[in-house]
PDB file of all heavy atoms in Angstrom:
ATOM      1  N   SER A  29     112.225 106.809  99.499  1.00 67.00           N
ATOM      2  CA  SER A  29     113.468 106.244  99.973  1.00 67.00           C
ATOM      3  C   SER A  29     113.456 104.699  99.816  1.00 67.00           C
ATOM      4  O   SER A  29     113.964 103.994 100.612  1.00 67.00           O
ATOM      5  CB  SER A  29     113.640 106.572 101.469  1.00 67.00           C
ATOM      6  OG  SER A  29     112.582 106.053 102.234  1.00 67.00           O
ATOM      7  N   SER A  30     112.868 104.264  98.698  1.00 69.00           N
ATOM      8  CA  SER A  30     112.778 102.886  98.418  1.00 69.00           C
ATOM      9  C   SER A  30     114.077 102.246  98.057  1.00 69.00           C
ATOM     10  O   SER A  30     115.023 102.931  97.602  1.00 69.00           O
ATOM     11  CB  SER A  30     111.752 102.614  97.272  1.00 69.00           C
ATOM     12  OG  SER A  30     110.531 103.173  97.602  1.00 69.00           O
ATOM     13  N   THR A  31     114.184 100.922  98.262  1.00 80.00           N
ATOM     14  CA  THR A  31     115.424 100.230  98.024  1.00 80.00           C
ATOM     15  C   THR A  31     115.364  99.426  96.734  1.00 80.00           C
ATOM     16  O   THR A  31     114.352  99.475  96.003  1.00 80.00           O
ATOM     17  CB  THR A  31     115.632  99.200  99.157  1.00 80.00           C
ATOM     18  OG1 THR A  31     114.580  98.233  99.153  1.00 80.00           O
ATOM     19  CG2 THR A  31     115.680  99.931 100.551  1.00 80.00           C
ATOM     20  N   GLY A  32     116.447  98.764  96.391  1.00 89.00           N
ATOM     21  CA  GLY A  32     116.489  97.905  95.267  1.00 89.00           C
ATOM     22  C   GLY A  32     115.500  96.824  95.354  1.00 89.00           C
ATOM     23  O   GLY A  32     114.927  96.346  94.275  1.00 89.00           O
ATOM     24  N   MET A  33     115.208  96.333  96.528  1.00 93.00           N
ATOM     25  CA  MET A  33     114.211  95.283  96.706  1.00 93.00           C
ATOM     26  C   MET A  33     112.830  95.823  96.343  1.00 93.00           C
ATOM     27  O   MET A  33     111.948  95.038  95.797  1.00 93.00           O
ATOM     28  CB  MET A  33     114.165  94.834  98.183  1.00 93.00           C
ATOM     29  CG  MET A  33     115.412  94.084  98.577  1.00 93.00           C
ATOM     30  SD  MET A  33     115.563  92.513  97.685  1.00 93.00           S
ATOM     31  CE  MET A  33     114.210  91.559  98.463  1.00 93.00           C
ATOM     32  N   CYS A  34     112.567  97.119  96.539  1.00 94.00           N
ATOM     33  CA  CYS A  34     111.346  97.743  96.144  1.00 94.00           C
ATOM     34  C   CYS A  34     111.211  97.680  94.587  1.00 94.00           C
ATOM     35  O   CYS A  34     110.181  97.341  94.001  1.00 94.00           O
ATOM     36  CB  CYS A  34     111.203  99.133  96.574  1.00 94.00           C
ATOM     37  SG  CYS A  34     109.796 100.051  95.898  1.00 94.00           S
ATOM     38  N   GLN A  35     112.250  98.058  93.917  1.00 93.00           N
ATOM     39  CA  GLN A  35     112.302  98.057  92.448  1.00 93.00           C
ATOM     40  C   GLN A  35     112.029  96.643  91.894  1.00 93.00           C
ATOM     41  O   GLN A  35     111.273  96.458  90.975  1.00 93.00           O
ATOM     42  CB  GLN A  35     113.626  98.588  91.916  1.00 93.00           C
ATOM     43  CG  GLN A  35     113.678  98.771  90.382  1.00 93.00           C
ATOM     44  CD  GLN A  35     112.707  99.864  89.925  1.00 93.00           C
ATOM     45  OE1 GLN A  35     112.716 100.946  90.407  1.00 93.00           O
ATOM     46  NE2 GLN A  35     111.865  99.485  88.974  1.00 93.00           N
ATOM     47  N   ASP A  36     112.666  95.688  92.517  1.00 96.00           N
ATOM     48  CA  ASP A  36     112.427  94.281  92.084  1.00 96.00           C
ATOM     49  C   ASP A  36     111.018  93.903  92.247  1.00 96.00           C
ATOM     50  O   ASP A  36     110.389  93.222  91.440  1.00 96.00           O
ATOM     51  CB  ASP A  36     113.318  93.337  92.894  1.00 96.00           C
ATOM     52  CG  ASP A  36     114.826  93.500  92.591  1.00 96.00           C
ATOM     53  OD1 ASP A  36     115.131  94.119  91.547  1.00 96.00           O
ATOM     54  OD2 ASP A  36     115.663  93.044  93.406  1.00 96.00           O
ATOM     55  N   SER A  37     110.391  94.335  93.378  1.00 96.00           N
ATOM     56  CA  SER A  37     108.960  94.007  93.679  1.00 96.00           C
ATOM     57  C   SER A  37     108.018  94.661  92.732  1.00 96.00           C
ATOM     58  O   SER A  37     107.049  94.021  92.238  1.00 96.00           O
ATOM     59  CB  SER A  37     108.654  94.364  95.126  1.00 96.00           C
ATOM     60  OG  SER A  37     109.542  93.726  96.028  1.00 96.00           O
ATOM     61  N   THR A  38     108.266  95.919  92.418  1.00 96.00           N
ATOM     62  CA  THR A  38     107.360  96.629  91.510  1.00 96.00           C
ATOM     63  C   THR A  38     107.508  96.099  90.056  1.00 96.00           C
ATOM     64  O   THR A  38     106.552  96.052  89.322  1.00 96.00           O
ATOM     65  CB  THR A  38     107.532  98.187  91.550  1.00 96.00           C
ATOM     66  OG1 THR A  38     108.918  98.439  91.294  1.00 96.00           O
ATOM     67  CG2 THR A  38     107.122  98.700  92.908  1.00 96.00           C
ATOM     68  N   ASP A  39     108.732  95.760  89.708  1.00 96.00           N
ATOM     69  CA  ASP A  39     108.950  95.168  88.422  1.00 96.00           C
ATOM     70  C   ASP A  39     108.175  93.848  88.279  1.00 96.00           C
ATOM     71  O   ASP A  39     107.590  93.536  87.217  1.00 96.00           O
ATOM     72  CB  ASP A  39     110.460  94.866  88.185  1.00 96.00           C
ATOM     73  CG  ASP A  39     111.276  96.133  87.907  1.00 96.00           C
ATOM     74  OD1 ASP A  39     110.682  97.173  87.628  1.00 96.00           O
ATOM     75  OD2 ASP A  39     112.519  96.051  87.989  1.00 96.00           O
ATOM     76  N   LYS A  40     108.166  93.093  89.353  1.00 98.00           N
ATOM     77  CA  LYS A  40     107.445  91.812  89.420  1.00 98.00           C
ATOM     78  C   LYS A  40     105.912  92.092  89.261  1.00 98.00           C
ATOM     79  O   LYS A  40     105.219  91.382  88.587  1.00 98.00           O
ATOM     80  CB  LYS A  40     107.698  91.110  90.745  1.00 98.00           C
ATOM     81  CG  LYS A  40     106.998  89.825  90.907  1.00 98.00           C
ATOM     82  CD  LYS A  40     107.429  88.707  89.950  1.00 98.00           C
ATOM     83  CE  LYS A  40     106.821  87.406  90.332  1.00 98.00           C
ATOM     84  NZ  LYS A  40     107.260  86.326  89.431  1.00 98.00           N
ATOM     85  N   ALA A  41     105.466  93.190  89.903  1.00 98.00           N
ATOM     86  CA  ALA A  41     104.052  93.530  89.801  1.00 98.00           C
ATOM     87  C   ALA A  41     103.652  93.797  88.307  1.00 98.00           C
ATOM     88  O   ALA A  41     102.611  93.374  87.846  1.00 98.00           O
ATOM     89  CB  ALA A  41     103.738  94.704  90.655  1.00 98.00           C
ATOM     90  N   TRP A  42     104.501  94.563  87.600  1.00 98.00           N
ATOM     91  CA  TRP A  42     104.180  94.849  86.212  1.00 98.00           C
ATOM     92  C   TRP A  42     104.261  93.555  85.378  1.00 98.00           C
ATOM     93  O   TRP A  42     103.458  93.398  84.454  1.00 98.00           O
ATOM     94  CB  TRP A  42     105.247  95.843  85.685  1.00 98.00           C
ATOM     95  CG  TRP A  42     104.923  97.252  86.081  1.00 98.00           C
ATOM     96  CD1 TRP A  42     105.398  97.855  87.230  1.00 98.00           C
ATOM     97  CD2 TRP A  42     104.064  98.196  85.426  1.00 98.00           C
ATOM     98  NE1 TRP A  42     104.896  99.165  87.305  1.00 98.00           N
ATOM     99  CE2 TRP A  42     104.104  99.397  86.246  1.00 98.00           C
ATOM    100  CE3 TRP A  42     103.353  98.179  84.253  1.00 98.00           C
ATOM    101  CZ2 TRP A  42     103.390 100.539  85.851  1.00 98.00           C
ATOM    102  CZ3 TRP A  42     102.631  99.356  83.905  1.00 98.00           C
ATOM    103  CH2 TRP A  42     102.612 100.488  84.686  1.00 98.00           C
ATOM    104  N   ASP A  43     105.253  92.682  85.648  1.00 98.00           N
ATOM    105  CA  ASP A  43     105.309  91.411  84.928  1.00 98.00           C
ATOM    106  C   ASP A  43     104.079  90.540  85.158  1.00 98.00           C
ATOM    107  O   ASP A  43     103.517  89.967  84.210  1.00 98.00           O
ATOM    108  CB  ASP A  43     106.557  90.618  85.358  1.00 98.00           C
ATOM    109  CG  ASP A  43     107.842  91.306  84.859  1.00 98.00           C
ATOM    110  OD1 ASP A  43     107.796  92.074  83.954  1.00 98.00           O
ATOM    111  OD2 ASP A  43     108.899  90.958  85.452  1.00 98.00           O
ATOM    112  N   GLU A  44     103.562  90.529  86.395  1.00 98.00           N
ATOM    113  CA  GLU A  44     102.414  89.727  86.688  1.00 98.00           C
ATOM    114  C   GLU A  44     101.132  90.275  86.025  1.00 98.00           C
ATOM    115  O   GLU A  44     100.207  89.518  85.710  1.00 98.00           O
ATOM    116  CB  GLU A  44     102.186  89.705  88.247  1.00 98.00           C
ATOM    117  CG  GLU A  44     103.197  88.878  88.929  1.00 98.00           C
ATOM    118  CD  GLU A  44     102.941  88.839  90.493  1.00 98.00           C
ATOM    119  OE1 GLU A  44     102.138  89.688  90.944  1.00 98.00           O
ATOM    120  OE2 GLU A  44     103.564  88.016  91.120  1.00 98.00           O
ATOM    121  N   MET A  45     101.119  91.547  85.779  1.00 98.00           N
ATOM    122  CA  MET A  45      99.948  92.194  85.153  1.00 98.00           C
ATOM    123  C   MET A  45      99.654  91.621  83.744  1.00 98.00           C
ATOM    124  O   MET A  45      98.491  91.402  83.364  1.00 98.00           O
ATOM    125  CB  MET A  45     100.131  93.690  85.000  1.00 98.00           C
ATOM    126  CG  MET A  45      99.018  94.406  84.244  1.00 98.00           C
ATOM    127  SD  MET A  45      99.230  96.165  84.084  1.00 98.00           S
ATOM    128  CE  MET A  45      98.726  96.674  85.736  1.00 98.00           C
ATOM    129  N   GLY A  46     100.748  91.309  83.008  1.00 97.00           N
ATOM    130  CA  GLY A  46     100.529  90.729  81.642  1.00 97.00           C
ATOM    131  C   GLY A  46     100.127  91.847  80.660  1.00 97.00           C
ATOM    132  O   GLY A  46     100.208  93.052  80.928  1.00 97.00           O
ATOM    133  N   ASP A  47      99.627  91.418  79.509  1.00 96.00           N
ATOM    134  CA  ASP A  47      99.343  92.308  78.397  1.00 96.00           C
ATOM    135  C   ASP A  47      97.866  92.673  78.480  1.00 96.00           C
ATOM    136  O   ASP A  47      97.019  92.153  77.746  1.00 96.00           O
ATOM    137  CB  ASP A  47      99.651  91.592  77.071  1.00 96.00           C
ATOM    138  CG  ASP A  47      99.534  92.575  75.901  1.00 96.00           C
ATOM    139  OD1 ASP A  47      99.484  93.778  76.137  1.00 96.00           O
ATOM    140  OD2 ASP A  47      99.512  92.118  74.755  1.00 96.00           O
ATOM    141  N   ILE A  48      97.581  93.675  79.355  1.00 96.00           N
ATOM    142  CA  ILE A  48      96.222  94.182  79.390  1.00 96.00           C
ATOM    143  C   ILE A  48      96.299  95.651  79.298  1.00 96.00           C
ATOM    144  O   ILE A  48      97.379  96.286  79.317  1.00 96.00           O
ATOM    145  CB  ILE A  48      95.501  93.820  80.712  1.00 96.00           C
ATOM    146  CG1 ILE A  48      96.186  94.428  81.943  1.00 96.00           C
ATOM    147  CG2 ILE A  48      95.371  92.292  80.916  1.00 96.00           C
ATOM    148  CD1 ILE A  48      95.482  94.260  83.248  1.00 96.00           C
ATOM    149  N   ASP A  49      95.178  96.322  79.128  1.00 95.00           N
ATOM    150  CA  ASP A  49      95.079  97.764  79.059  1.00 95.00           C
ATOM    151  C   ASP A  49      95.090  98.345  80.475  1.00 95.00           C
ATOM    152  O   ASP A  49      94.045  98.193  81.168  1.00 95.00           O
ATOM    153  CB  ASP A  49      93.861  98.228  78.234  1.00 95.00           C
ATOM    154  CG  ASP A  49      93.769  99.713  78.104  1.00 95.00           C
ATOM    155  OD1 ASP A  49      94.591 100.456  78.599  1.00 95.00           O
ATOM    156  OD2 ASP A  49      92.833 100.108  77.319  1.00 95.00           O
ATOM    157  N   ILE A  50      96.103  98.979  80.920  1.00 96.00           N
ATOM    158  CA  ILE A  50      96.218  99.471  82.295  1.00 96.00           C
ATOM    159  C   ILE A  50      95.131 100.572  82.562  1.00 96.00           C
ATOM    160  O   ILE A  50      94.732 100.791  83.630  1.00 96.00           O
ATOM    161  CB  ILE A  50      97.621  99.970  82.615  1.00 96.00           C
ATOM    162  CG1 ILE A  50      97.774 100.216  84.120  1.00 96.00           C
ATOM    163  CG2 ILE A  50      97.937 101.237  81.824  1.00 96.00           C
ATOM    164  CD1 ILE A  50      99.134 100.561  84.544  1.00 96.00           C
ATOM    165  N   TYR A  51      94.711 101.197  81.437  1.00 96.00           N
ATOM    166  CA  TYR A  51      93.669 102.258  81.615  1.00 96.00           C
ATOM    167  C   TYR A  51      92.301 101.725  81.709  1.00 96.00           C
ATOM    168  O   TYR A  51      91.304 102.502  81.998  1.00 96.00           O
ATOM    169  CB  TYR A  51      93.824 103.249  80.443  1.00 96.00           C
ATOM    170  CG  TYR A  51      95.148 103.950  80.435  1.00 96.00           C
ATOM    171  CD1 TYR A  51      96.189 103.594  79.556  1.00 96.00           C
ATOM    172  CD2 TYR A  51      95.459 105.005  81.359  1.00 96.00           C
ATOM    173  CE1 TYR A  51      97.439 104.236  79.595  1.00 96.00           C
ATOM    174  CE2 TYR A  51      96.646 105.649  81.386  1.00 96.00           C
ATOM    175  CZ  TYR A  51      97.651 105.259  80.486  1.00 96.00           C
ATOM    176  OH  TYR A  51      98.848 105.901  80.534  1.00 96.00           O
ATOM    177  N   ASN A  52      92.071 100.475  81.427  1.00 96.00           N
ATOM    178  CA  ASN A  52      90.816  99.806  81.616  1.00 96.00           C
ATOM    179  C   ASN A  52      91.104  98.307  81.652  1.00 96.00           C
ATOM    180  O   ASN A  52      91.220  97.683  80.648  1.00 96.00           O
ATOM    181  CB  ASN A  52      89.768 100.099  80.555  1.00 96.00           C
ATOM    182  CG  ASN A  52      88.407  99.522  80.874  1.00 96.00           C
ATOM    183  OD1 ASN A  52      88.290  98.543  81.521  1.00 96.00           O
ATOM    184  ND2 ASN A  52      87.429 100.141  80.304  1.00 96.00           N
ATOM    185  N   ILE A  53      91.198  97.741  82.889  1.00 97.00           N
ATOM    186  CA  ILE A  53      91.699  96.381  83.042  1.00 97.00           C
ATOM    187  C   ILE A  53      90.794  95.323  82.426  1.00 97.00           C
ATOM    188  O   ILE A  53      91.160  94.214  82.235  1.00 97.00           O
ATOM    189  CB  ILE A  53      91.975  96.061  84.515  1.00 97.00           C
ATOM    190  CG1 ILE A  53      90.703  96.192  85.362  1.00 97.00           C
ATOM    191  CG2 ILE A  53      93.072  96.954  85.016  1.00 97.00           C
ATOM    192  CD1 ILE A  53      90.878  95.785  86.809  1.00 97.00           C
TER     193      ILE A  53
END
Side-chain angles (χ1 to χ4, degrees):
S29 60
S30 302
T31 64
M33 292 295 290
C34 171
Q35 186 66 54
D36 292 343
S37 302
T38 55
D39 287 347
K40 179 68 171 177
W42 283 90
D43 289 342
E44 288 179 348
M45 175 180 283
D47 190 12
I48 64 173
D49 184 354
I50 192 175
Y51 297 101
N52 186 334
I53 59 175

